[in-house]
PDB file of all heavy atoms in Angstrom:
ATOM      1  N   LEU A  63     107.700 131.502  96.255  1.00  0.00           N
ATOM      2  CA  LEU A  63     107.546 130.174  96.859  1.00  0.00           C
ATOM      3  C   LEU A  63     106.424 130.257  97.927  1.00  0.00           C
ATOM      4  O   LEU A  63     106.545 131.021  98.869  1.00  0.00           O
ATOM      5  CB  LEU A  63     108.915 129.774  97.524  1.00  0.00           C
ATOM      6  CG  LEU A  63     108.945 128.391  98.153  1.00  0.00           C
ATOM      7  CD1 LEU A  63     108.931 127.259  97.063  1.00  0.00           C
ATOM      8  CD2 LEU A  63     110.124 128.238  99.083  1.00  0.00           C
ATOM      9  N   PRO A  64     105.411 129.478  97.720  1.00  0.00           N
ATOM     10  CA  PRO A  64     104.301 129.485  98.740  1.00  0.00           C
ATOM     11  C   PRO A  64     104.550 128.644  99.861  1.00  0.00           C
ATOM     12  O   PRO A  64     105.340 127.560  99.770  1.00  0.00           O
ATOM     13  CB  PRO A  64     103.066 128.933  97.879  1.00  0.00           C
ATOM     14  CG  PRO A  64     103.773 127.908  96.938  1.00  0.00           C
ATOM     15  CD  PRO A  64     105.051 128.611  96.600  1.00  0.00           C
ATOM     16  N   SER A  65     104.056 128.902 101.008  1.00  0.00           N
ATOM     17  CA  SER A  65     104.176 128.156 102.269  1.00  0.00           C
ATOM     18  C   SER A  65     102.951 127.305 102.466  1.00  0.00           C
ATOM     19  O   SER A  65     102.963 126.259 103.162  1.00  0.00           O
ATOM     20  CB  SER A  65     104.537 128.952 103.410  1.00  0.00           C
ATOM     21  OG  SER A  65     103.493 129.803 103.713  1.00  0.00           O
ATOM     22  N   ILE A  66     101.757 127.785 101.954  1.00  0.00           N
ATOM     23  CA  ILE A  66     100.478 127.119 102.248  1.00  0.00           C
ATOM     24  C   ILE A  66     100.019 126.538 100.963  1.00  0.00           C
ATOM     25  O   ILE A  66      99.966 127.212  99.919  1.00  0.00           O
ATOM     26  CB  ILE A  66      99.499 128.151 102.727  1.00  0.00           C
ATOM     27  CG1 ILE A  66      99.953 128.709 104.093  1.00  0.00           C
ATOM     28  CG2 ILE A  66      98.116 127.496 102.823  1.00  0.00           C
ATOM     29  CD1 ILE A  66      98.972 129.761 104.710  1.00  0.00           C
ATOM     30  N   ALA A  67      99.701 125.187 101.049  1.00  0.00           N
ATOM     31  CA  ALA A  67      99.184 124.548  99.780  1.00  0.00           C
ATOM     32  C   ALA A  67      97.757 124.779  99.547  1.00  0.00           C
ATOM     33  O   ALA A  67      97.343 125.108  98.385  1.00  0.00           O
ATOM     34  CB  ALA A  67      99.445 122.977  99.960  1.00  0.00           C
ATOM     35  N   PHE A  68      96.947 124.670 100.526  1.00  0.00           N
ATOM     36  CA  PHE A  68      95.568 124.981 100.384  1.00  0.00           C
ATOM     37  C   PHE A  68      94.891 125.086 101.666  1.00  0.00           C
ATOM     38  O   PHE A  68      95.579 124.844 102.749  1.00  0.00           O
ATOM     39  CB  PHE A  68      94.786 123.944  99.584  1.00  0.00           C
ATOM     40  CG  PHE A  68      94.986 122.513 100.175  1.00  0.00           C
ATOM     41  CD1 PHE A  68      94.162 122.029 101.090  1.00  0.00           C
ATOM     42  CD2 PHE A  68      96.008 121.675  99.680  1.00  0.00           C
ATOM     43  CE1 PHE A  68      94.218 120.796 101.619  1.00  0.00           C
ATOM     44  CE2 PHE A  68      96.116 120.429 100.166  1.00  0.00           C
ATOM     45  CZ  PHE A  68      95.253 119.945 101.160  1.00  0.00           C
ATOM     46  N   THR A  69      93.576 125.627 101.770  1.00  0.00           N
ATOM     47  CA  THR A  69      92.963 125.801 103.018  1.00  0.00           C
ATOM     48  C   THR A  69      91.684 124.936 103.080  1.00  0.00           C
ATOM     49  O   THR A  69      91.032 124.816 101.980  1.00  0.00           O
ATOM     50  CB  THR A  69      92.491 127.261 103.187  1.00  0.00           C
ATOM     51  OG1 THR A  69      93.681 128.047 103.261  1.00  0.00           O
ATOM     52  CG2 THR A  69      91.794 127.457 104.540  1.00  0.00           C
ATOM     53  N   ILE A  70      91.429 124.211 104.052  1.00  0.00           N
ATOM     54  CA  ILE A  70      90.275 123.373 104.161  1.00  0.00           C
ATOM     55  C   ILE A  70      89.644 123.595 105.540  1.00  0.00           C
ATOM     56  O   ILE A  70      90.346 123.399 106.565  1.00  0.00           O
ATOM     57  CB  ILE A  70      90.697 121.888 103.893  1.00  0.00           C
ATOM     58  CG1 ILE A  70      89.464 120.984 103.889  1.00  0.00           C
ATOM     59  CG2 ILE A  70      91.718 121.389 104.929  1.00  0.00           C
ATOM     60  CD1 ILE A  70      89.699 119.532 103.402  1.00  0.00           C
ATOM     61  N   PHE A  71      88.307 123.783 105.510  1.00  0.00           N
ATOM     62  CA  PHE A  71      87.562 124.067 106.732  1.00  0.00           C
ATOM     63  C   PHE A  71      88.139 125.059 107.670  1.00  0.00           C
ATOM     64  O   PHE A  71      88.226 124.943 108.907  1.00  0.00           O
ATOM     65  CB  PHE A  71      87.412 122.667 107.502  1.00  0.00           C
ATOM     66  CG  PHE A  71      86.728 121.634 106.694  1.00  0.00           C
ATOM     67  CD1 PHE A  71      87.274 120.377 106.613  1.00  0.00           C
ATOM     68  CD2 PHE A  71      85.442 121.762 106.225  1.00  0.00           C
ATOM     69  CE1 PHE A  71      86.758 119.280 105.919  1.00  0.00           C
ATOM     70  CE2 PHE A  71      84.877 120.765 105.408  1.00  0.00           C
ATOM     71  CZ  PHE A  71      85.453 119.503 105.290  1.00  0.00           C
ATOM     72  N   GLY A  72      88.726 126.090 106.945  1.00  0.00           N
ATOM     73  CA  GLY A  72      89.245 127.193 107.650  1.00  0.00           C
ATOM     74  C   GLY A  72      90.773 126.942 108.187  1.00  0.00           C
ATOM     75  O   GLY A  72      91.227 127.805 108.899  1.00  0.00           O
ATOM     76  N   HIS A  73      91.246 125.860 107.908  1.00  0.00           N
ATOM     77  CA  HIS A  73      92.629 125.571 108.347  1.00  0.00           C
ATOM     78  C   HIS A  73      93.641 125.458 107.166  1.00  0.00           C
ATOM     79  O   HIS A  73      93.308 124.853 106.120  1.00  0.00           O
ATOM     80  CB  HIS A  73      92.658 124.151 109.087  1.00  0.00           C
ATOM     81  CG  HIS A  73      91.852 124.091 110.249  1.00  0.00           C
ATOM     82  ND1 HIS A  73      92.296 124.663 111.486  1.00  0.00           N
ATOM     83  CD2 HIS A  73      90.600 123.648 110.583  1.00  0.00           C
ATOM     84  CE1 HIS A  73      91.337 124.510 112.464  1.00  0.00           C
ATOM     85  NE2 HIS A  73      90.325 123.835 111.883  1.00  0.00           N
ATOM     86  N   ASP A  74      94.767 126.175 107.381  1.00  0.00           N
ATOM     87  CA  ASP A  74      95.804 126.132 106.355  1.00  0.00           C
ATOM     88  C   ASP A  74      96.578 124.876 106.381  1.00  0.00           C
ATOM     89  O   ASP A  74      96.997 124.410 107.398  1.00  0.00           O
ATOM     90  CB  ASP A  74      96.754 127.368 106.592  1.00  0.00           C
ATOM     91  CG  ASP A  74      96.079 128.719 106.282  1.00  0.00           C
ATOM     92  OD1 ASP A  74      95.130 128.798 105.571  1.00  0.00           O
ATOM     93  OD2 ASP A  74      96.483 129.697 106.993  1.00  0.00           O
ATOM     94  N   ILE A  75      96.803 124.320 105.129  1.00  0.00           N
ATOM     95  CA  ILE A  75      97.502 123.055 105.041  1.00  0.00           C
ATOM     96  C   ILE A  75      98.907 123.459 104.370  1.00  0.00           C
ATOM     97  O   ILE A  75      98.893 123.950 103.235  1.00  0.00           O
ATOM     98  CB  ILE A  75      96.833 122.002 104.131  1.00  0.00           C
ATOM     99  CG1 ILE A  75      95.429 121.756 104.711  1.00  0.00           C
ATOM    100  CG2 ILE A  75      97.739 120.725 104.014  1.00  0.00           C
ATOM    101  CD1 ILE A  75      95.394 121.178 106.124  1.00  0.00           C
ATOM    102  N   HIS A  76      99.922 123.378 105.133  1.00  0.00           N
ATOM    103  CA  HIS A  76     101.178 123.853 104.724  1.00  0.00           C
ATOM    104  C   HIS A  76     101.997 122.764 103.819  1.00  0.00           C
ATOM    105  O   HIS A  76     101.864 121.584 104.030  1.00  0.00           O
ATOM    106  CB  HIS A  76     102.062 124.174 105.902  1.00  0.00           C
ATOM    107  CG  HIS A  76     101.689 125.408 106.644  1.00  0.00           C
ATOM    108  ND1 HIS A  76     102.244 126.600 106.577  1.00  0.00           N
ATOM    109  CD2 HIS A  76     100.626 125.551 107.475  1.00  0.00           C
ATOM    110  CE1 HIS A  76     101.646 127.594 107.305  1.00  0.00           C
ATOM    111  NE2 HIS A  76     100.567 126.866 107.924  1.00  0.00           N
ATOM    112  N   PHE A  77     102.749 123.336 102.855  1.00  0.00           N
ATOM    113  CA  PHE A  77     103.581 122.354 102.024  1.00  0.00           C
ATOM    114  C   PHE A  77     104.466 121.506 102.955  1.00  0.00           C
ATOM    115  O   PHE A  77     104.786 120.369 102.552  1.00  0.00           O
ATOM    116  CB  PHE A  77     104.396 123.203 101.009  1.00  0.00           C
ATOM    117  CG  PHE A  77     103.541 123.453  99.715  1.00  0.00           C
ATOM    118  CD1 PHE A  77     103.126 124.695  99.491  1.00  0.00           C
ATOM    119  CD2 PHE A  77     103.335 122.473  98.838  1.00  0.00           C
ATOM    120  CE1 PHE A  77     102.364 124.938  98.385  1.00  0.00           C
ATOM    121  CE2 PHE A  77     102.620 122.658  97.673  1.00  0.00           C
ATOM    122  CZ  PHE A  77     102.134 123.959  97.451  1.00  0.00           C
ATOM    123  N   TYR A  78     104.945 122.073 103.937  1.00  0.00           N
ATOM    124  CA  TYR A  78     105.991 121.356 104.888  1.00  0.00           C
ATOM    125  C   TYR A  78     105.275 120.077 105.344  1.00  0.00           C
ATOM    126  O   TYR A  78     105.922 119.024 105.229  1.00  0.00           O
ATOM    127  CB  TYR A  78     106.270 122.308 106.061  1.00  0.00           C
ATOM    128  CG  TYR A  78     107.250 121.697 107.088  1.00  0.00           C
ATOM    129  CD1 TYR A  78     108.644 121.693 106.864  1.00  0.00           C
ATOM    130  CD2 TYR A  78     106.689 120.933 108.149  1.00  0.00           C
ATOM    131  CE1 TYR A  78     109.414 121.183 107.809  1.00  0.00           C
ATOM    132  CE2 TYR A  78     107.547 120.410 109.085  1.00  0.00           C
ATOM    133  CZ  TYR A  78     108.897 120.460 108.914  1.00  0.00           C
ATOM    134  OH  TYR A  78     109.742 119.923 109.813  1.00  0.00           O
ATOM    135  N   GLY A  79     104.110 120.180 105.780  1.00  0.00           N
ATOM    136  CA  GLY A  79     103.383 118.941 106.350  1.00  0.00           C
ATOM    137  C   GLY A  79     102.981 118.028 105.283  1.00  0.00           C
ATOM    138  O   GLY A  79     103.195 116.757 105.438  1.00  0.00           O
ATOM    139  N   LEU A  80     102.625 118.611 104.073  1.00  0.00           N
ATOM    140  CA  LEU A  80     102.300 117.670 102.967  1.00  0.00           C
ATOM    141  C   LEU A  80     103.545 116.866 102.538  1.00  0.00           C
ATOM    142  O   LEU A  80     103.393 115.616 102.130  1.00  0.00           O
ATOM    143  CB  LEU A  80     101.667 118.527 101.800  1.00  0.00           C
ATOM    144  CG  LEU A  80     100.261 118.982 101.975  1.00  0.00           C
ATOM    145  CD1 LEU A  80      99.861 119.824 100.669  1.00  0.00           C
ATOM    146  CD2 LEU A  80      99.265 117.779 102.143  1.00  0.00           C
ATOM    147  N   ILE A  81     104.638 117.577 102.363  1.00  0.00           N
ATOM    148  CA  ILE A  81     105.839 116.949 101.898  1.00  0.00           C
ATOM    149  C   ILE A  81     106.346 115.858 102.903  1.00  0.00           C
ATOM    150  O   ILE A  81     106.698 114.728 102.488  1.00  0.00           O
ATOM    151  CB  ILE A  81     106.939 117.914 101.669  1.00  0.00           C
ATOM    152  CG1 ILE A  81     106.515 118.772 100.414  1.00  0.00           C
ATOM    153  CG2 ILE A  81     108.310 117.254 101.353  1.00  0.00           C
ATOM    154  CD1 ILE A  81     107.418 119.952 100.182  1.00  0.00           C
ATOM    155  N   ILE A  82     106.278 116.165 104.140  1.00  0.00           N
ATOM    156  CA  ILE A  82     106.670 115.152 105.228  1.00  0.00           C
ATOM    157  C   ILE A  82     105.694 113.950 105.131  1.00  0.00           C
ATOM    158  O   ILE A  82     106.186 112.707 105.157  1.00  0.00           O
ATOM    159  CB  ILE A  82     106.528 115.700 106.638  1.00  0.00           C
ATOM    160  CG1 ILE A  82     107.574 116.929 106.809  1.00  0.00           C
ATOM    161  CG2 ILE A  82     106.833 114.637 107.702  1.00  0.00           C
ATOM    162  CD1 ILE A  82     109.097 116.484 106.685  1.00  0.00           C
ATOM    163  N   ALA A  83     104.406 114.189 104.927  1.00  0.00           N
ATOM    164  CA  ALA A  83     103.483 113.141 104.832  1.00  0.00           C
ATOM    165  C   ALA A  83     103.695 112.278 103.635  1.00  0.00           C
ATOM    166  O   ALA A  83     103.535 110.957 103.621  1.00  0.00           O
ATOM    167  CB  ALA A  83     102.003 113.673 104.871  1.00  0.00           C
ATOM    168  N   PHE A  84     104.054 112.909 102.492  1.00  0.00           N
ATOM    169  CA  PHE A  84     104.226 112.211 101.284  1.00  0.00           C
ATOM    170  C   PHE A  84     105.488 111.280 101.394  1.00  0.00           C
ATOM    171  O   PHE A  84     105.520 110.101 100.891  1.00  0.00           O
ATOM    172  CB  PHE A  84     104.419 113.246 100.072  1.00  0.00           C
ATOM    173  CG  PHE A  84     104.729 112.651  98.804  1.00  0.00           C
ATOM    174  CD1 PHE A  84     103.828 111.686  98.087  1.00  0.00           C
ATOM    175  CD2 PHE A  84     105.961 112.827  98.101  1.00  0.00           C
ATOM    176  CE1 PHE A  84     104.085 111.218  96.951  1.00  0.00           C
ATOM    177  CE2 PHE A  84     106.307 112.204  96.921  1.00  0.00           C
ATOM    178  CZ  PHE A  84     105.336 111.461  96.300  1.00  0.00           C
ATOM    179  N   GLY A  85     106.591 111.711 102.036  1.00  0.00           N
ATOM    180  CA  GLY A  85     107.785 111.019 102.162  1.00  0.00           C
ATOM    181  C   GLY A  85     107.506 109.810 103.105  1.00  0.00           C
ATOM    182  O   GLY A  85     107.967 108.703 102.845  1.00  0.00           O
ATOM    183  N   PHE A  86     106.695 110.033 104.132  1.00  0.00           N
ATOM    184  CA  PHE A  86     106.389 108.986 105.072  1.00  0.00           C
ATOM    185  C   PHE A  86     105.483 107.859 104.366  1.00  0.00           C
ATOM    186  O   PHE A  86     105.770 106.721 104.596  1.00  0.00           O
ATOM    187  CB  PHE A  86     105.539 109.639 106.274  1.00  0.00           C
ATOM    188  CG  PHE A  86     105.066 108.633 107.184  1.00  0.00           C
ATOM    189  CD1 PHE A  86     105.844 108.063 108.133  1.00  0.00           C
ATOM    190  CD2 PHE A  86     103.696 108.097 107.204  1.00  0.00           C
ATOM    191  CE1 PHE A  86     105.355 107.116 109.095  1.00  0.00           C
ATOM    192  CE2 PHE A  86     103.194 107.205 108.089  1.00  0.00           C
ATOM    193  CZ  PHE A  86     104.044 106.711 109.072  1.00  0.00           C
ATOM    194  N   THR A  87     104.579 108.343 103.523  1.00  0.00           N
ATOM    195  CA  THR A  87     103.672 107.426 102.828  1.00  0.00           C
ATOM    196  C   THR A  87     104.535 106.538 101.923  1.00  0.00           C
ATOM    197  O   THR A  87     104.336 105.268 101.784  1.00  0.00           O
ATOM    198  CB  THR A  87     102.630 108.188 102.024  1.00  0.00           C
ATOM    199  OG1 THR A  87     101.836 108.992 102.885  1.00  0.00           O
ATOM    200  CG2 THR A  87     101.709 107.143 101.199  1.00  0.00           C
ATOM    201  N   LEU A  88     105.346 107.070 101.160  1.00  0.00           N
ATOM    202  CA  LEU A  88     106.255 106.359 100.202  1.00  0.00           C
ATOM    203  C   LEU A  88     107.104 105.397 101.009  1.00  0.00           C
ATOM    204  O   LEU A  88     107.332 104.221 100.615  1.00  0.00           O
ATOM    205  CB  LEU A  88     107.134 107.223  99.409  1.00  0.00           C
ATOM    206  CG  LEU A  88     106.557 108.086  98.244  1.00  0.00           C
ATOM    207  CD1 LEU A  88     107.500 108.778  97.403  1.00  0.00           C
ATOM    208  CD2 LEU A  88     105.675 107.059  97.372  1.00  0.00           C
ATOM    209  N   ALA A  89     107.719 105.705 102.118  1.00  0.00           N
ATOM    210  CA  ALA A  89     108.458 104.854 102.964  1.00  0.00           C
ATOM    211  C   ALA A  89     107.676 103.718 103.470  1.00  0.00           C
ATOM    212  O   ALA A  89     108.090 102.577 103.471  1.00  0.00           O
ATOM    213  CB  ALA A  89     109.110 105.691 104.169  1.00  0.00           C
ATOM    214  N   VAL A  90     106.416 103.996 103.860  1.00  0.00           N
ATOM    215  CA  VAL A  90     105.605 102.867 104.303  1.00  0.00           C
ATOM    216  C   VAL A  90     105.240 101.881 103.180  1.00  0.00           C
ATOM    217  O   VAL A  90     105.274 100.736 103.368  1.00  0.00           O
ATOM    218  CB  VAL A  90     104.282 103.431 104.911  1.00  0.00           C
ATOM    219  CG1 VAL A  90     103.251 102.402 105.219  1.00  0.00           C
ATOM    220  CG2 VAL A  90     104.645 104.229 106.235  1.00  0.00           C
ATOM    221  N   LEU A  91     104.850 102.448 102.023  1.00  0.00           N
ATOM    222  CA  LEU A  91     104.624 101.592 100.887  1.00  0.00           C
ATOM    223  C   LEU A  91     105.799 100.780 100.488  1.00  0.00           C
ATOM    224  O   LEU A  91     105.693  99.522 100.222  1.00  0.00           O
ATOM    225  CB  LEU A  91     104.213 102.445  99.672  1.00  0.00           C
ATOM    226  CG  LEU A  91     102.792 103.137  99.832  1.00  0.00           C
ATOM    227  CD1 LEU A  91     102.565 104.073  98.622  1.00  0.00           C
ATOM    228  CD2 LEU A  91     101.663 102.194  99.962  1.00  0.00           C
ATOM    229  N   TYR A  92     106.941 101.290 100.468  1.00  0.00           N
ATOM    230  CA  TYR A  92     108.194 100.504 100.172  1.00  0.00           C
ATOM    231  C   TYR A  92     108.379  99.426 101.233  1.00  0.00           C
ATOM    232  O   TYR A  92     108.698  98.228 100.867  1.00  0.00           O
ATOM    233  CB  TYR A  92     109.367 101.441 100.180  1.00  0.00           C
ATOM    234  CG  TYR A  92     110.668 100.711  99.950  1.00  0.00           C
ATOM    235  CD1 TYR A  92     111.143 100.379  98.675  1.00  0.00           C
ATOM    236  CD2 TYR A  92     111.503 100.357 101.014  1.00  0.00           C
ATOM    237  CE1 TYR A  92     112.399  99.638  98.543  1.00  0.00           C
ATOM    238  CE2 TYR A  92     112.693  99.657 100.904  1.00  0.00           C
ATOM    239  CZ  TYR A  92     113.016  99.277  99.636  1.00  0.00           C
ATOM    240  OH  TYR A  92     114.177  98.544  99.452  1.00  0.00           O
ATOM    241  N   GLY A  93     108.307  99.791 102.504  1.00  0.00           N
ATOM    242  CA  GLY A  93     108.487  98.896 103.551  1.00  0.00           C
ATOM    243  C   GLY A  93     107.441  97.713 103.532  1.00  0.00           C
ATOM    244  O   GLY A  93     107.793  96.504 103.700  1.00  0.00           O
ATOM    245  N   GLY A  94     106.256  98.101 103.173  1.00  0.00           N
ATOM    246  CA  GLY A  94     105.161  97.003 103.101  1.00  0.00           C
ATOM    247  C   GLY A  94     105.486  96.064 101.987  1.00  0.00           C
ATOM    248  O   GLY A  94     105.276  94.871 102.141  1.00  0.00           O
ATOM    249  N   ARG A  95     105.819  96.588 100.853  1.00  0.00           N
ATOM    250  CA  ARG A  95     106.142  95.804  99.678  1.00  0.00           C
ATOM    251  C   ARG A  95     107.281  94.831  99.966  1.00  0.00           C
ATOM    252  O   ARG A  95     107.229  93.636  99.661  1.00  0.00           O
ATOM    253  CB  ARG A  95     106.497  96.723  98.465  1.00  0.00           C
ATOM    254  CG  ARG A  95     106.817  95.971  97.249  1.00  0.00           C
ATOM    255  CD  ARG A  95     105.693  95.044  96.730  1.00  0.00           C
ATOM    256  NE  ARG A  95     106.031  94.417  95.494  1.00  0.00           N
ATOM    257  CZ  ARG A  95     105.264  93.368  94.926  1.00  0.00           C
ATOM    258  NH1 ARG A  95     104.217  93.118  95.555  1.00  0.00           N
ATOM    259  NH2 ARG A  95     105.644  92.925  93.792  1.00  0.00           N
ATOM    260  N   MET A  96     108.366  95.295 100.614  1.00  0.00           N
ATOM    261  CA  MET A  96     109.535  94.473 100.930  1.00  0.00           C
ATOM    262  C   MET A  96     109.111  93.466 101.989  1.00  0.00           C
ATOM    263  O   MET A  96     109.625  92.309 101.840  1.00  0.00           O
ATOM    264  CB  MET A  96     110.695  95.348 101.295  1.00  0.00           C
ATOM    265  CG  MET A  96     111.309  96.220 100.216  1.00  0.00           C
ATOM    266  SD  MET A  96     111.988  95.223  98.874  1.00  0.00           S
ATOM    267  CE  MET A  96     113.343  94.489  99.747  1.00  0.00           C
ATOM    268  N   ALA A  97     108.262  93.853 102.918  1.00  0.00           N
ATOM    269  CA  ALA A  97     107.937  92.935 104.026  1.00  0.00           C
ATOM    270  C   ALA A  97     107.113  91.798 103.342  1.00  0.00           C
ATOM    271  O   ALA A  97     107.270  90.643 103.852  1.00  0.00           O
ATOM    272  CB  ALA A  97     107.175  93.685 104.997  1.00  0.00           C
ATOM    273  N   TYR A  98     106.267  92.122 102.429  1.00  0.00           N
ATOM    274  CA  TYR A  98     105.489  91.030 101.668  1.00  0.00           C
ATOM    275  C   TYR A  98     106.509  90.042 100.975  1.00  0.00           C
ATOM    276  O   TYR A  98     106.237  88.915 101.008  1.00  0.00           O
ATOM    277  CB  TYR A  98     104.575  91.655 100.708  1.00  0.00           C
ATOM    278  CG  TYR A  98     103.792  90.706  99.814  1.00  0.00           C
ATOM    279  CD1 TYR A  98     102.692  90.049 100.349  1.00  0.00           C
ATOM    280  CD2 TYR A  98     104.219  90.547  98.576  1.00  0.00           C
ATOM    281  CE1 TYR A  98     102.049  89.102  99.648  1.00  0.00           C
ATOM    282  CE2 TYR A  98     103.493  89.542  97.732  1.00  0.00           C
ATOM    283  CZ  TYR A  98     102.437  88.893  98.261  1.00  0.00           C
ATOM    284  OH  TYR A  98     101.762  87.954  97.383  1.00  0.00           O
ATOM    285  N   LYS A  99     107.460  90.613 100.258  1.00  0.00           N
ATOM    286  CA  LYS A  99     108.415  89.767  99.569  1.00  0.00           C
ATOM    287  C   LYS A  99     109.204  88.901 100.564  1.00  0.00           C
ATOM    288  O   LYS A  99     109.563  87.778 100.212  1.00  0.00           O
ATOM    289  CB  LYS A  99     109.382  90.626  98.715  1.00  0.00           C
ATOM    290  CG  LYS A  99     108.724  91.223  97.517  1.00  0.00           C
ATOM    291  CD  LYS A  99     109.791  92.002  96.709  1.00  0.00           C
ATOM    292  CE  LYS A  99     109.214  92.497  95.445  1.00  0.00           C
ATOM    293  NZ  LYS A  99     110.208  93.303  94.571  1.00  0.00           N
TER     294      LYS A  99
END
């Protein structure tokens, strides 16, 4: 099981942060859609 997804500009991007960001993004998209309705 990897902990680092990829490295960019010398900085490690961890799966932990990516997954949190992904969940946050989906929550925002859902909220925005419902707010529009």
Side-chain angles (χ1 to χ4, degrees):
L63 183 71
S65 62
I66 297 175
F68 55 86
T69 300
I70 184 170
F71 302 126
H73 296 283
D74 293 332
I75 306 301
H76 292 255
F77 275 106
Y78 179 86
L80 284 180
I81 291 171
I82 296 295
F84 179 62
F86 176 80
T87 300
L88 285 187
V90 170
L91 291 175
Y92 174 85
R95 178 62 177 167
M96 291 297 292
Y98 174 78
K99 288 183 176 181

